[in-house]
Amino acid sequence: MNRLAGKVALVTGAGRGIGAAIARAFVAEGAAVVLAELEGATAQATAREIAAQHDAAKVLAVPTDVTQAASVRAAVDEAARAFGPVDVLVNNAGINVFADPLTMTDDDWRRCFAVDLDGVWNGCRAVLPGMVERGAGSIVNIASTHAFQIIPGCFPYPVAKHGVLGLTRALGIEYAPRNVRVNAIAPGYIETQLTRDWWDSQPDPKAARLETLALSPMKRIGRPEEVAMTAVFLASDEAPFINASCITIDGGRTALYHD
Ligand SMILES: NC(=O)c1ccc[n+]([C@@H]2O[C@H](COP(=O)([O-])OP(=O)(O)OC[C@H]3O[C@@H](n4cnc5c(N)ncnc54)[C@H](O)[C@@H]3O)[C@@H](O)[C@H]2O)c1
């Protein structure tokens, strides 16, 4: 249980859902973790819970808005003051913006890109100078299966997530000579508030959930902890030659062809 011993990690959007599971798994594996989250109270509560289960000296909640570059830089600085330079960044914060392209407002478009793509870049830009200087670092971007597949009615979320994959590959190549690895994880349906809110937004939420299950080859929804396991692997020294890659975690859902 010490696969991340001595490492300092910053996880965005770590107050709940996948980000909280990643923060919990990282601390369990020996990392010191900053939970960089928009909702301060949620982040504090999650940090207290992780501290009680694991090591209180290795968890810190820092209110952060990933859409603001200065806010992300401040969180990285706070991580450095508390624990040391950031070795691992997980760009996890994200929101669903699902609209009809032609009736969508400009605000919807900007809100989606501000969080889902600019937020990832703001994170990368804040940690890369230090990682490049030290000649070591791992960045894990939480993309989505929407990064390479399209479900009608979900615009512009997949456009931003395609961008996250492009950013991952581009930065992975740029900084590979400096031993900084940049990878992505593409989760399918994972049981979080984000997904529950989506089912609840459908005319028949129960039927929507059953339809998701019916199309799942494993006949179940994924768990946040199952994404966290892969984030631990990519963040650790067990993946030294994995770079500019994307690991899909969807129980085989995107391999399934259906009408
Ligand atoms: N749940 C899924 O099925 C699923 C599938 C594919 C991809 N994803 C991606 O995984 C990531 C996490 O999703 P989740 O399901 O855990 O969502 P969630 O809504 O449960 O959690 C997201 C967290 O991000 C925080 N956040 C939102 N805007 C922020 C901002 N501007 N700055 C900092 N924090 C902010 C929220 O407060 C929340 O705590 C997202 O990038 C999402 O697109 C989720």
Side-chain angles (χ1 to χ4, degrees), residues 21-204:
I22 291 172
R24 195 174 295 113
F26 277 18
V27 176
E29 291 291 350
V33 179
V34 164
L35 284 71
E37 160 66 49
L38 186 65
E39 305 290 340
T42 315
Q44 289 291 355
T46 303
R48 274 196 300 274
E49 179 213 307
I50 295 173
Q53 285 170 346
H54 300 287
D55 187 344
K58 289 193 165 165
V59 196
L60 181 66
V62 177
T64 308
D65 181 351
V66 298
T67 68
Q68 306 299 316
S71 174
V72 184
R73 274 199 308 271
V76 170
D77 289 347
E78 200 151 339
R81 275 193 298 275
F83 302 129
V86 172
D87 303 296
V88 177
L89 166 69
V90 181
N91 284 306
N92 164 79
I95 55 170
N96 277 353
V97 180
F98 295 162
D100 172 81
L102 297 184
T103 56
M104 175 190 71
T105 64
D106 288 348
D107 183 56
D108 282 339
W109 173 268
R110 278 192 292 267
R111 199 163 49 87
C112 181
F113 278 81
V115 182
D116 291 339
L117 186 54
D118 295 356
V120 177
W121 170 231
N122 287 337
C124 294
R125 199 167 48 171
V127 299
L128 274 169
M131 289 181 174
V132 167
E133 195 186 315
R134 291 188 299 282
S138 173
I139 297 176
V140 180
N141 296 326
I142 306 301
S144 166
T145 49
H146 289 253
F148 42 81
Q149 293 215 306
I150 300 296
I151 303 175
C154 295
F155 193 84
Y157 178 79
V159 186
K161 290 294 187 180
H162 274 64
V164 170
L165 208 47
L167 185 66
T168 301
R169 291 160 56 86
L171 294 179
I173 296 305
E174 287 290 340
Y175 298 106
R178 298 297 304 148
N179 195 34
V180 177
R181 297 180 295 108
V182 187
N183 291 294
I185 294 175
Y189 288 94
I190 307 295
E191 182 83 48
T192 68
Q193 194 56 48
L194 188 83
T195 325
R196 287 188 284 273
D197 288 346
W198 181 78
W199 285 316
D200 288 344
S201 73
Q202 299 305 295
D204 184 345

